[in-house]
Amino acid sequence: MSSSPTPPTVPPRTPAVIFDLDGTLVDSEPHYYEAGRRTLERYGVTGYTWEEHSRFIGVGTRETLEALRERYALDVSVDELLAVKNRHYLELTGSGTAVFPRMRSFVERLHTAGHRLAVASGSSRAAIEAALAATGLSALLPVYVSAEEVGRGKPEPDVFLAAARLLGTDPADCVVVEDAAPGVEAARRAGMRCIAVPYAADAGRRGPDPSAFASAGLVFPGGQDEFDAGAAYAWTTGGG
């Protein structure tokens, strides 16, 4: 009696994985809020709240400052605001930046398995370097693209497409990990699969807006507290 042939083992996929930085890999939003508050205070704007800051989570730093400059009718260039905010942010980052432990485990697992990895952020290059160095992630994530190197910020796809080019891979073979709706939309426009881990500001008592993350292939509605590195890895390598 003959037996049925054993089906061949299908090797896991090794797509490139592109991480957003702030709110996804590291909890830097408190630093960005404080840096923004100090910057506005320098130009006479007081009472800047976390609630107001949270509206800009996921939006590039330049785009955020352009909106604030217009809102408060500041008689100062965006470039000057950007330089002042970056100085404050770098000072705060040097005093300590927290990396999300479950996300670190995910990065380590991907790195060990040989996936090409990158960071694509709306922050400045100096801010990215500082955050990666402060958290010890720089050795695992040596490739990164900042807002300074692309023409448009998220939700436009420029930063993700630039990261794919640096990694030498097709956008269709990339997975993006994001915490905010503009980044999820940028991934969709780039033609990349996406894992959404809503930042605490979106995953708190209100719960994330389902429509904002609808295009992501895998969503952890509870944010970092719900994120599962094993499940994320299985989805990433299994094709979604």
Side-chain angles (χ1 to χ4, degrees):
M1 181 177 177
S2 61
S3 60
S4 300
T6 302
T9 300
V10 179
R13 299 178 68 211
T14 54
V17 181
I18 303 172
F19 290 88
D20 170 59
L21 179 65
D22 303 301
T24 299
L25 284 171
V26 300
D27 193 12
S28 52
E29 287 301 339
H31 288 341
Y32 272 109
Y33 162 65
E34 180 60 17
R37 189 195 67 77
R38 292 181 186 181
T39 299
L40 290 174
E41 189 173 64
R42 171 173 173 169
Y43 297 99
V45 178
T46 59
Y48 184 62
T49 65
W50 172 265
E51 182 180 4
E52 186 171 4
H53 167 80
S54 68
R55 298 171 190 160
F56 297 103
I57 290 176
V59 179
T61 303
R62 176 174 285 277
E63 289 81 2
T64 296
L65 291 173
E66 287 173 347
L68 292 173
R69 177 178 180 270
E70 181 177 354
R71 177 177 300 177
Y72 293 110
L74 299 177
D75 187 20
V76 59
S77 71
V78 172
D79 285 339
E80 181 175 332
L81 290 171
L82 189 61
V84 172
K85 185 174 181 179
N86 273 338
R87 283 199 300 272
H88 286 309
Y89 176 77
L90 293 176
E91 290 171 2
L92 292 163
T93 299
S95 67
T97 299
V99 59
F100 295 112
R102 296 183 185 183
M103 198 60 70
R104 182 192 289 277
S105 296
F106 187 39
V107 173
E108 290 172 345
R109 183 166 186 174
L110 290 164
H111 178 77
T112 299
H115 292 260
R116 288 165 290 178
L117 306 177
V119 169
S121 171
S123 297
S124 69
R125 193 168 184 85
I128 296 171
E129 290 174 349
L132 293 178
T135 56
L137 288 172
S138 54
L140 302 176
L141 295 161
V143 176
Y144 47 89
V145 180
S146 74
E148 298 164 340
E149 295 151 308
V150 296
R152 303 171 299 176
K154 303 170 187 176
E156 297 302 329
D158 301 31
V159 71
F160 290 139
L161 294 174
R165 286 192 294 271
L166 285 177
L167 293 173
T169 189
D170 189 273
D173 200 31
C174 292
V175 171
V176 166
V177 185
E178 262 286 353
D179 74 297
V184 172
E185 173 62 14
R188 185 192 69 79
R189 295 183 188 183
M192 300 176 179
R193 295 190 292 139
C194 183
I195 297 172
V197 189
Y199 186 67
D202 291 318
R205 63 182 183 276
R206 300 189 310 272
D209 177 2
S211 64
F213 298 93
S215 65
L218 179 63
V219 182
F220 294 92
Q224 292 291 339
D225 289 341
E226 186 181 296
F227 180 72
D228 185 316
Y233 185 80
W235 186 87
T236 297
T237 57

